[in-house]
Amino acid sequence: MRHTTFAGRAAAVLTAGLLVTTAAACGGGTASGGGNGDPKTLTYWASNQGTDIAADQKVLNPELAKFEKQTGIKVELEIVPWTDLLNRILAATTSGQGPDVLNIGNTWSASLQATGGLLPFDDATMTKVGGAGRFVPAALASAGAKGKPPAAVPLYSLAYGLYYNKKMFADANLEPPKTWQEMVDAGRKLTKDGKHGIAVEGASIPENVHAAFNIGQMYGADFFTADGKPQFATPQAVKAVKSYIDLIAKEKIAAPGNAEYSANQSLNDFATGKAAMLMWQATTSGLTNLGMKPGDWGVVPLPKPSPTPPGGRDITSMVAGINIAVFKNTDNRDGALKFVKFMTSDDEQKILNKAYGSLPAVTAAQNDPAFDTPDLRVFKQILATSAAPLPQVPEESQFETAVGTAMKELFADAAAGKPITEEKVKEKLAAAQEQMGK
């Protein structure tokens, strides 16, 4: 239920995509890549949400069969790994040949919107899928740039929280941390006998950026100016990023080897008791599939620095999640919108999000008792009261690549024992900002 990573060339491909916005508005799909003019078929690129592609097929195939029975429209499913998805989509918007319907990471919404390759959900289009009022407001806010029709609608909703191992905390006579310092102090007590206080995904570009944003909000950092210009090396951003890198560098409560994690190894370390805490998106199925049982873990909002830094915000999480979009070039727009309406219907939202351990993006479905577990109640509260979308600017994908890579390099230095100073963090973030103009 997450982005693991995407290729570093995404920024370059995105730039190319932005230069060919007209290409996506002409021509048609191909039988292998998208709409083929048959009103009784659709192609659907689904993101890899489960533990593997087979798990996704097990979840989705029965629902697609249900849709075919209801409408007579057959959906040809392709599960696309997160490592490939963004580049596949950008190549499709460039060529004008893509699927009819596709999943996108919600942080990419404004970037993909700028290509012109996705169908805008204007008022008339939104009405065809049930209306904007059905969706959780925070989730819908992550569907494109403000003031423009959304480029997609929300499908799966997520937020970040701090997972903690209840037994490890109880054995150490610790309470769940409410402040950053409490988290560090608990981590120090729990780092012993080959186990660590917390696990991080130091080589994962998206996870790094998500952490930079989440913690950055607590420090009052804005990575873009009001008119959309990058400003990555502000004092607030430097302090936020350094506090995260310091979990390895200074506090030493995360293992140096975490600097190389990029494929959910930190999730595995938490599930197997090698780490006592984890900053992660809602992932009930991710933990149970690795052997944990509900009740083995607890969740609290990400702890904030205390006292609150000047300008710090009461935000602890990005609005995370997956959106579902329609390729503008589809030859079966009516069928595609019927499919979007089906996938975001109350019943399907309950089925799909329960399977993935995420939260429905539709308010009525989110109120179902199935999503009233202790941890999901915490995530619902975070989404409702203390979550904000990542910058909805066309350059957001380049921002992820540049800053995420800079943090990956800082983690590598920390793991090698090199000093991580504010000046060094500032230099790395300034270099990442320089890349945005290239």
Side-chain angles (χ1 to χ4, degrees):
M1 191 57 239
R2 53 191 311 98
H3 319 183
T4 51
T5 182
F6 55 79
R9 67 180 186 277
V13 179
L14 178 63
T15 303
L18 292 172
L19 295 174
V20 290
T21 54
T22 55
C26 57
T30 65
S32 61
N36 53 20
D38 184 352
K40 293 300 181 184
T41 64
L42 288 171
T43 52
Y44 175 40
W45 287 358
S47 49
N48 179 199
Q49 300 299 126
T51 50
D52 54 34
I53 287 174
D56 284 313
Q57 290 171 333
K58 186 177 180 181
V59 170
L60 292 174
N61 281 333
E63 307 316 307
L64 303 187
K66 191 186 302 180
F67 176 74
E68 183 177 4
K69 187 174 181 181
Q70 290 178 10
T71 64
I73 300 173
K74 180 176 176 58
V75 179
E76 297 173 356
L77 172 68
E78 181 179 356
I79 312 290
V80 184
W82 278 107
T83 46
D84 301 333
L85 185 59
L86 182 60
N87 282 339
R88 288 279 301 276
I89 295 169
L90 292 168
T93 63
T94 300
S95 67
Q97 297 182 340
D100 297 295
V101 183
L102 62 158
N103 287 5
I104 66 172
N106 70 353
T107 66
W108 307 337
S109 295
S111 297
L112 294 176
Q113 183 180 49
T115 70
L118 302 182
L119 179 70
F121 276 80
D122 56 22
D123 290 345
T125 305
M126 191 68 82
T127 298
K128 290 183 179 180
V129 299
R134 298 182 58 244
F135 296 98
V136 175
L140 194 58
S142 293
K146 204 170 183 178
K148 296 182 179 180
V153 294
L155 182 62
Y156 309 125
S157 281
L158 293 163
Y160 273 85
L162 180 73
Y163 282 86
Y164 65 95
N165 183 304
K166 285 186 175 181
K167 185 177 187 306
M168 294 174 77
F169 266 68
D171 289 348
N173 199 27
L174 290 168
E175 294 294 325
K178 294 179 181 177
T179 69
W180 191 269
Q181 190 59 51
E182 287 178 4
M183 181 186 77
V184 169
D185 291 343
R188 287 175 179 153
K189 289 182 180 178
L190 293 161
T191 299
K192 58 182 180 180
D193 303 327
K195 298 179 180 180
H196 284 80
I198 196 166
V200 296
E201 200 87 356
S204 168
I205 289 171
E207 284 300 323
N208 283 340
V209 169
H210 298 172
F213 178 81
N214 294 341
I215 304 167
Q217 290 293 298
M218 304 175 194
Y219 279 89
D222 289 305
F223 288 93
F224 289 87
T225 63
D227 57 352
K229 292 184 173 62
Q231 50 174 15
F232 299 165
T234 63
Q236 298 92 331
V238 169
K239 288 182 184 298
V241 169
K242 184 177 185 298
S243 69
Y244 188 57
I245 306 299
D246 274 346
L247 296 177
I248 287 179
K250 177 186 173 186
E251 315 299 354
K252 303 187 188 304
I253 62 172
N258 287 188
E260 299 178 4
Y261 283 7
S262 64
N264 299 352
Q265 295 101 317
S266 56
L267 181 70
N268 188 75
D269 279 3
F270 177 76
T272 56
K274 292 179 182 177
M277 293 179 283
L278 178 72
M279 298 181 197
W280 210 251
Q281 299 174 18
T283 182
T284 302
S285 60
L287 296 176
T288 54
N289 288 341
L290 289 166
M292 292 190 91
K293 297 175 183 175
D296 288 350
W297 68 82
V299 182
V300 292
L302 295 187
K304 295 185 287 187
S306 180
T308 301
R313 304 183 180 105
D314 192 22
I315 299 293
T316 64
S317 175
M318 60 175 282
V319 178
I322 313 304
N323 294 343
I324 187 167
V326 173
F327 194 59
K328 195 172 183 178
N329 268 21
T330 176
D331 291 323
N332 190 359
R333 183 174 295 190
D334 287 344
L337 291 173
K338 284 180 183 177
F339 183 61
V340 171
K341 184 176 183 179
F342 170 81
M343 292 290 280
T344 59
S345 66
D346 291 357
D347 287 345
E348 286 304 307
Q349 282 285 288
K350 293 173 189 176
I351 292 167
L352 295 170
N353 284 281
K354 187 176 180 182
Y356 288 128
S358 49
L359 283 168
V362 170
T363 304
Q366 199 176 96
N367 292 331
D368 187 88
F371 305 100
D372 198 35
T373 60
D375 51 341
L376 290 181
R377 280 199 295 271
V378 173
F379 285 115
K380 280 196 283 190
Q381 181 69 11
I382 292 168
L383 271 176
T385 64
S386 61
L390 260 72
Q392 294 292 303
V393 295
E395 296 81 9
E396 199 284 329
S397 293
Q398 293 108 306
F399 158 64
E400 286 198 22
T401 301
V403 171
T405 300
M407 292 172 69
K408 176 182 175 180
E409 292 168 356
L410 286 166
F411 268 126
D413 286 346
K418 297 178 182 178
I420 303 298
T421 62
E422 285 194 6
E423 188 59 35
K424 182 164 190 172
V425 174
K426 183 178 180 180
E427 286 174 5
K428 284 284 188 184
L429 292 177
Q433 183 176 323
E434 283 286 316
Q435 293 174 26
M436 298 290 285
K438 295 179 180 179

